[in-house]
Amino acid sequence: EDHLHKQSIKWLPKSLKKKPVITADFGKGAEYLSEDLNNLGFENIIYLKDKKSFIFNDDVILTVFVNKKDHDSSLLVQHNNTTILHQTDNMFPEKISKYIGQNYNIDMLFTITNRTGPFPGFYILDKHELFRSSKKKFEDSLDISLKIVRNIKPKYVVPNATDICYYNQESFVNKYHKDDKYKYKKLIEKNNLK
């Protein structure tokens, strides 16, 4: 529920829940999303399949790229001569980034720099293996992210998402699930990716 905090949504005014809500159509196995949105009182839900668009106010085009494997998605926003891709925390397959790079001129890419998920911090591993696995996950994530940026060829890259912080009894995980946006920025500059 990192992007659908039910308690916060319950506080929204009822009039806002009549406005269109656009979400990815993840297909079979993701019925929970539809149930959640309906139970939260949204009345005008628009489900977009992979690579499908919705035109808003006659001049804003919203296109969704669906990662069914992870039940995640990214949003492309086009307005006038500007195209922005918000990858969110969706580490989509390389073929999607190639498709986007071949079919769109991206001005700004808000990109994920590190994979999220419970591994390795919530796994029972010895301390050495935890740190080794954490480092490998971080390095592999950087490689994947840089490939995505190379394929998309945006004018500008903004490191985004993956800043997770656990509290209370789970706070120990923070030393294994961390991100280094400064290192990412340096890699982008070193590779002349903007």
Side-chain angles (χ1 to χ4, degrees):
E1 293 189 1
D2 61 336
H3 299 286
L4 185 67
H5 187 251
K6 293 174 185 170
Q7 187 58 47
S8 297
I9 291 172
K10 287 178 184 176
W11 296 332
L12 293 174
K14 289 189 189 272
S15 61
L16 195 58
K17 293 182 179 182
K18 294 179 187 214
K19 303 284 183 188
V21 172
I22 298 165
T23 188
D25 182 346
F26 296 107
K28 191 171 181 165
E31 292 81 6
Y32 66 89
L33 178 60
S34 163
E35 291 169 11
D36 282 348
L37 292 172
N38 286 319
N39 290 337
L40 289 166
F42 290 105
E43 299 176 16
N44 189 3
I45 305 166
I46 300 165
Y47 295 93
L48 293 178
K49 293 190 180 298
D50 187 39
K51 301 180 187 111
K52 296 301 178 190
S53 301
F54 176 80
I55 299 174
F56 181 73
N57 284 348
D58 296 325
D59 63 349
V60 177
I61 303 170
L62 305 173
T63 306
V64 171
F65 295 95
V66 178
N67 182 349
K68 285 188 178 183
K69 179 182 171 196
D70 291 333
H71 285 201
D72 216 331
S73 62
S74 298
L75 180 66
L76 183 84
V77 180
Q78 297 171 280
H79 178 64
N80 294 331
N81 294 321
T82 302
T83 304
I84 298 171
L85 177 63
H86 193 274
Q87 190 179 357
T88 65
D89 56 2
N90 175 21
M91 191 67 85
F92 46 62
E94 191 173 359
K95 68 178 183 178
I96 294 176
S97 63
K98 286 181 178 179
Y99 173 86
I100 293 169
Q102 292 166 358
N103 291 282
Y104 299 93
N105 293 317
I106 304 297
D107 295 296
M108 188 172 293
L109 169 62
F110 289 87
T111 188
I112 183 173
T113 59
N114 196 3
R115 291 175 292 177
T116 58
F119 183 81
F122 289 106
Y123 282 63
I124 300 172
L125 303 168
D126 67 55
K127 187 175 181 178
H128 173 74
E129 183 61 23
L130 271 171
F131 278 109
R132 190 193 72 71
S133 297
S134 176
K135 183 178 182 199
K136 181 169 178 9
K137 179 179 179 179
F138 179 70
E139 290 170 356
D140 290 350
S141 296
L142 286 177
D143 288 343
I144 293 167
S145 182
L146 289 174
K147 281 181 189 173
I148 288 171
V149 173
R150 279 189 196 101
N151 290 338
I152 293 176
K153 302 178 284 279
K155 288 182 188 172
Y156 300 100
V157 178
V158 179
N160 186 53
T162 68
D163 293 316
I164 297 173
C165 184
Y166 296 95
Y167 296 97
N168 303 322
Q169 71 270 17
E170 296 175 339
S171 64
F172 72 94
V173 175
N174 293 328
K175 62 182 157 191
Y176 308 112
H177 292 202
K178 58 185 175 183
D179 200 8
D180 187 342
K181 297 283 197 301
Y182 183 74
K183 182 176 180 179
Y184 188 83
K185 177 183 179 286
K186 290 293 183 191
L187 280 170
I188 292 291
E189 292 168 348
K190 179 182 172 187
N191 288 280
N192 293 317
L193 297 171
K194 296 279 182 186

